Amino acid sequence: MAKARRVTSIDVAKEAGVSQTTVSYVLNNVPHQKISEETRQRIFAAVEKLGYTPSAAARTLRLGRSDIVLLLMPDLPLGSTAIELIEYLTAGLERHGLSVVTRIESGRTVATLWKDLAPAAVVSFAPVAKQHRADMRAAGTYVVNVWGDSDGEPNVMTRGQVRVGRMQIEHLVAQGHVRVGYAAPADARMRAFLDPRLEGVRQGCADHGLASPSVREVALDTEAAAAAARAWREEGVTAVCAFNDEVAIALLAGLRAAGLAAPADLAVIGVDDTPMARFAEPPLTTINQHMEAVAAELADTVLTGLERPDARRPAPPESATLVIRRSA
Amino acid sequence: MAKARRVTSIDVAKEAGVSQTTVSYVLNNVPHQKISEETRQRIFAAVEKLGYTPSAAARTLRLGRSDIVLLLMPDLPLGSTAIELIEYLTAGLERHGLSVVTRIESGRTVATLWKDLAPAAVVSFAPVAKQHRADMRAAGTYVVNVWGDSDGEPNVMTRGQVRVGRMQIEHLVAQGHVRVGYAAPADARMRAFLDPRLEGVRQGCADHGLASPSVREVALDTEAAAAAARAWREEGVTAVCAFNDEVAIALLAGLRAAGLAAPADLAVIGVDDTPMARFAEPPLTTINQHMEAVAAELADTVLTGLERPDARRPAPPESATLVIRRSA
DNA sequence: CCACCGTGCTGAATCGTATCAGCGGAGGGG
DNA sequence: CCCCTCCGCTGATACGATTCAGCACGGTGG
C-alpha cells in the first residue's frame, strides 16, 4: 500500500470547495473575518469526513511557538500527591488545547529541550537558573516559577504552603502543646517548599504566643533521626511538625530506636498523607493537600498568562484537610 | 530593541560563504556528499560565532518526525526507583541527540499528544491500546512496549523482573523457608510488573522443589493486610515475597496489628529498596534494582530500533542486588 | 583530442500552516 | 448614475529545514 499521505488543510479546502485560507480562518476562529455560517458548516463537515488533524510542526514553525506546556519536575520521588497534581494540571490545560509534558530535571539540559519544544509555557517545580528564565521570557515563553525566588515572579504555590504550615501548628496547639520543633529535610532541593511551610509554622506560633519552633534537620537515617528526637526532648519540645510524611516517618523510626513513643514522648505531624502514612508506627497524623484545587489555580495562572481569558474559573476555596491518626 | 530574529542556517551559510545546502550537508554528516575539510571548518566556525541552533519545528515539518522520545508512565506514584530510571534513560538518549519527555498517563489522550510531538519513539510503561500502538507504528514511530502483552513485541523489562522474583525466593530458601506466599498488589495497574515477578518466584520455587507460592492480594490497608497475614499463617506459610516495598510495608503493619512479628512469625521480603524501607518496623529486607543497567538496556533498544547503530554498548551484567535488613 | 567520471558544491522544490493584501459584488447615499 | 463601504472570500508568501537534480572543473583512459 502506498505510504498514506497526511490529510492537510488543502485537502479540506478542496473537499469543502473553498480556499485553504478560509479553512484556516474558520478553524482558528479568526476575529474580524466574516465567514458565512453555511461555509463554516461545510468546512467542519469536510474536517470530520477526512479526519483532518492540523500539523503541529507546521503550526509551530509558522507561529514560532507550540501548544505545549513544559512541566519541569525535580529529580525527586514523585509521591501520589505530585502525581495527582500533574494529572489534574494535564487535564485542566488539555481542555484548552494545551498539551502538558513533563521533564524530570537533573541538570542543565533544559535549554536544549526548551528549544526543541518551543513550548507556550514552562511551569517549573525545579530550580531553573535565572538566566534561563530570562532567555525563555525574552523568546516569548510564559514562565511560571513555582519555586519562589522572592524576585516577584508569579508564584501560585507559596500561599497554600504557608497555610499548610499553619494547619500543622493549629492541630498541635489544639492538643495543648506549647513548645514545638520543626523537622526539616536534609535534601537541599526541598528548600522551595520548606521555606513557605516553615514560615507558616512560625506565623502560627506567633499567633498563639508560642516561641518560634526549634528547627532541626532530620536526615533519612534512623540514627540521625533518633539523635534529633533526643535533642528535642532535652529542649523541652513535646511536638514536631515534619516537613512532609517522609521526614515524619523517619522521625518515628528514630523515636522507636531511641526508646521513645509518639505521641506521648514526642508528637509528630506530617504533610502529604502519603499512602505509607497509615502504616507508620504509630499511624501518622498529617495534612492532606487537595491537589485538584492547587492544579486548578496553577492551570488558571498559565491560561491567564497566555491570555486565554475565556478560561477563568474560581479556584475551590478549601485546599487542604487535617487527617488525624495517632502520632499527634 | 528589535525583536531578535532567529539565526538560521542561511545566516550561517552567508557567514561561511557557502550555500545553505552545504551547511545542511555538513551539519548532518550526510554520507556520499564530499565536502572539503576546509569548508567544514569554516562552517563550524560560523555556527559557533553566530550561536546557531537548528529549528526543531522546521526539521520536524520536513522530516515528519521529531527527535523526541515520549516516555509514557502510569499514573502511579513514581518512587525513587522509577525516577532514577527516567533520569538514566534521559541522559542515555540525550547523548545521541534524542530528547526525552514524560507523560503521566491517566486516560486515552495519548493520541493527541503523539500527533503534537511526532516523536521518533514512544517508550511505554503504561498500557496503550493495541490500536494506538498499531497507528503509531504505521506512522513510523518506533514503539517500545514495556508492558509485555505477550504479543511478541520488544520487551526489555520482563527478563529482569523475572530475575528479581527469583532473587526473592533464593534468599528465603537460604533462610530455610519451605512454604512461601506471594503478596500481590490490589491495584490492577501493576499487573504488567506483577506477572513477571510472580513468574520468577514460581520458577524459583520449582527449582528448589517447593510448592507453588500461595498468592494473596494485599490492599494498602492495615486490616486487610492483617487478615492476609493470619490466613498465610494458617496455611503454614512462613515467608512472603511481596510485590514491592509498598506492599511489604503494608504487610508489616498488618503483622503488628495481628500481634505477629517479622521475621519470626512471617518473614517478608520486598522489591525496590525504597527510601522508606529502612524505616519500616522491622527494617525491610528487599531487592535493589540497578536502574542504570536497566535504563542502559532500554536506551539501547530504542537506539537500535531507530537504527543508530553507532550507539550499541554492552549492558552491564548485574542489575539487582539483595539488601538484607531484618524482616527476612 | 574526446568521452567519461568523481569531487565539491549550488539551485530550487517541498513539508503544512498562518496571515497580509486585495478582489468582486451587493447595497446605500448623494 | 456613480462612488463608497462592507461582506465574504482568495492568492501568494513566509516560517527554516532537508534533499533531489545538476553544474563546473580537473584528471584519466582510449
Side-chain angles (χ1 to χ4, degrees):
Chain A
M1 78 189 174
K3 202 167 175 249
R5 214 178 45 78
R6 199 181 214 297
V7 177
T8 75
S9 61
I10 296 188
D11 299 327
V12 173
K14 282 200 189 107
E15 174 75 23
V18 296
S19 76
Q20 185 259 346
T21 304
T22 306
V23 171
S24 176
Y25 283 157
V26 167
L27 296 185
N28 295 332
N29 264 319
V30 176
H32 304 304
Q33 287 291 345
K34 309 290 177 182
I35 309 283
S36 72
E37 190 53 31
E38 192 213 321
T39 306
R40 291 187 115 75
Q41 294 309 329
R42 274 216 317 284
I43 290 177
F44 286 130
V47 165
E48 198 66 25
K49 178 175 172 193
L50 302 179
Y52 167 71
T53 333
S55 150
R59 265 184 92 94
T60 304
L61 175 58
R62 181 69 233 252
L63 298 180
R65 103 181 358 98
S66 69
D67 281 338
I68 289 178
V69 174
L70 177 59
L71 181 60
L72 296 177
M73 283 301 204
D75 56 338
L76 298 169
L78 299 180
S80 39
T81 320
I83 297 288
E84 225 180 297
L85 173 61
I86 295 177
E87 283 203 66
Y88 283 123
L89 185 62
T90 303
L93 290 178
E94 193 116 302
R95 245 174 260 130
H96 298 276
L98 297 172
S99 290
V100 176
V101 297
T102 304
R103 166 67 148 226
I104 308 293
E105 247 309 284
S106 50
R108 73 208 67 64
T109 55
V110 213
T112 312
L113 182 60
W114 170 68
K115 277 182 188 146
D116 274 11
L117 293 179
V122 172
V123 175
S124 179
F125 280 81
V128 176
K130 201 159 191 162
Q131 183 58 48
H132 275 330
R133 276 180 279 154
D135 289 350
M136 295 178 189
R137 292 221 171 86
T141 306
Y142 180 70
V143 179
V144 179
N145 190 27
V146 179
W147 283 61
D149 278 10
S150 67
D151 43 7
E153 303 199 2
N155 183 338
V156 262
M157 297 290 285
T158 304
R159 206 181 54 210
Q161 298 309 302
V162 171
R163 238 165 58 82
V164 161
R166 296 184 82 112
M167 289 179 71
Q168 289 184 296
I169 276 294
E170 296 296 338
H171 177 65
L172 296 183
V173 166
Q175 301 292 310
H177 295 283
V178 172
R179 186 79 187 98
V180 304
Y182 192 89
D187 195 325
R189 294 171 295 187
M190 300 285 192
R191 279 299 296 273
F193 289 102
L194 169 62
D195 290 342
R197 284 183 194 173
L198 180 50
E199 172 60 20
V201 169
R202 290 209 169 99
Q203 288 178 13
C205 286
D207 288 359
H208 289 87
L210 307 191
S212 219
S214 161
V215 180
R216 294 184 182 280
E217 237 177 43
V218 173
L220 297 184
D221 171 273
T222 307
E223 274 320 309
R230 278 188 289 259
W232 268 313
R233 289 275 300 169
E234 280 166 23
E235 289 181 287
V237 166
T238 60
V240 171
C241 301
F243 167 72
N244 64 11
D245 285 1
E246 208 171 25
V247 171
I249 290 174
L251 181 53
L252 290 178
L255 281 172
R256 291 196 304 272
L260 300 170
D265 297 316
L266 197 65
V268 177
I269 182 170
V271 174
D272 272 354
D273 195 15
T274 296
M276 292 297 95
R278 75 192 59 186
F279 305 127
E281 184 57 34
L284 183 66
T285 292
T286 186
I287 307 288
N288 180 4
Q289 303 191 62
H290 299 176
M291 283 302 132
E292 182 159 15
V294 176
E297 204 172 334
L298 206 46
D300 220 57
T301 305
V302 170
L303 292 166
T304 310
L306 295 178
E307 292 167 297
R308 310 207 177 189
D310 56 310
R312 314 298 285 274
R313 16 163 213 184
E318 276 310 315
S319 60
T321 46
L322 174 65
V323 180
I324 301 179
R325 294 206 178 90
R326 296 222 316 273
S327 69
Chain B
M1 81 186 175
K3 204 167 171 246
R5 213 178 45 77
R6 201 181 211 296
V7 177
T8 76
S9 62
I10 296 188
D11 300 326
V12 173
K14 281 200 189 109
E15 174 75 23
V18 296
S19 77
Q20 189 253 7
T21 304
T22 306
V23 172
S24 178
Y25 283 157
V26 168
L27 296 185
N28 295 332
N29 266 319
V30 175
H32 303 307
Q33 286 291 347
K34 309 290 178 183
I35 310 283
S36 73
E37 192 51 32
E38 193 214 320
T39 306
R40 291 187 115 76
Q41 293 311 327
R42 274 216 317 284
I43 290 177
F44 286 131
V47 164
E48 197 66 26
K49 178 174 171 194
L50 302 180
Y52 167 70
T53 334
S55 150
R59 269 182 89 95
T60 304
L61 175 58
R62 182 67 234 250
L63 299 181
R65 103 182 359 98
S66 68
D67 281 338
I68 288 177
V69 173
L70 178 58
L71 181 61
L72 296 177
M73 283 299 199
D75 57 338
L76 297 169
L78 300 179
S80 39
T81 318
I83 296 288
E84 224 179 300
L85 174 61
I86 296 177
E87 283 204 64
Y88 282 124
L89 185 62
T90 303
L93 291 178
E94 193 116 301
R95 243 174 264 130
H96 298 275
L98 296 173
S99 289
V100 175
V101 297
T102 305
R103 166 68 147 225
I104 308 292
E105 247 309 282
S106 50
R108 74 207 66 68
T109 56
V110 214
T112 311
L113 182 60
W114 171 68
K115 276 181 188 149
D116 274 11
L117 293 179
V122 172
V123 175
S124 180
F125 280 82
V128 175
K130 201 160 190 159
Q131 182 59 49
H132 276 330
R133 276 180 280 155
D135 289 350
M136 295 178 189
R137 292 222 172 85
T141 307
Y142 180 70
V143 180
V144 178
N145 191 26
V146 180
W147 283 60
D149 277 10
S150 67
D151 43 7
E153 304 200 0
N155 185 337
V156 261
M157 297 290 286
T158 303
R159 205 181 55 209
Q161 298 308 302
V162 171
R163 237 164 58 82
V164 162
R166 295 185 83 112
M167 289 178 72
Q168 289 184 298
I169 276 295
E170 296 297 338
H171 178 63
L172 296 183
V173 166
Q175 301 292 311
H177 295 282
V178 171
R179 185 79 187 100
V180 304
Y182 193 89
D187 194 326
R189 294 171 296 186
M190 300 284 192
R191 278 300 296 273
F193 289 101
L194 169 61
D195 290 341
R197 285 184 194 171
L198 180 49
E199 172 59 21
V201 170
R202 290 210 169 98
Q203 289 179 11
C205 285
D207 288 359
H208 290 87
L210 307 192
S212 220
S214 160
V215 179
R216 295 185 181 278
E217 239 177 43
V218 173
L220 297 185
D221 170 275
T222 307
E223 274 319 307
R230 277 188 290 259
W232 269 313
R233 290 275 301 170
E234 280 166 23
E235 292 180 288
V237 166
T238 61
V240 172
C241 301
F243 167 71
N244 64 9
D245 285 0
E246 208 173 25
V247 170
I249 289 174
L251 181 53
L252 290 179
L255 280 172
R256 291 195 305 270
L260 300 170
D265 296 316
L266 197 65
V268 177
I269 182 170
V271 174
D272 272 353
D273 195 15
T274 295
M276 293 295 95
R278 74 192 60 184
F279 305 126
E281 184 59 34
L284 184 66
T285 292
T286 184
I287 308 287
N288 179 5
Q289 302 192 62
H290 300 177
M291 282 303 131
E292 181 159 15
V294 176
E297 203 172 336
L298 205 46
D300 219 57
T301 306
V302 170
L303 290 167
T304 310
L306 295 178
E307 292 166 296
R308 310 206 178 191
D310 57 311
R312 314 298 287 275
R313 19 166 210 183
E318 275 311 315
S319 61
T321 46
L322 174 65
V323 179
I324 302 179
R325 294 209 178 89
R326 298 222 316 272
S327 69

